[in-house]
Amino acid sequence: MIALVLLGILALVVGGCVCVVWAERGGPRWARAVATVTLGAGELLRSFGKNRDQGLGQSADDGD
């Protein structure tokens, strides 16, 4: 069951990446919309990861 969920997530990620490339080459409007959502989700995850790393760095410094 978990494998199916992971495969579904992988399919969404690959599909989003394909839409980003297709939109760069002048794809249809829906592909550009999917590309915008994909890039936005990537930025959101990146900022979440940065905030998490900063929090971990602060807690490590407090222990010294």
Side-chain angles (χ1 to χ4, degrees), residues 11-52:
L12 288 173
V13 169
V14 169
C17 291
V18 168
C19 284
V20 168
V21 172
W22 194 9
E24 278 291 315
R25 296 177 181 219
R29 183 176 293 164
W30 65 266
R32 284 180 259 161
V34 172
T36 301
V37 170
T38 301
L39 292 173
E43 287 296 322
L44 184 66
L45 289 173
R46 185 180 304 162
S47 68
F48 175 73
K50 284 182 183 178
N51 290 341
R52 186 173 174 224

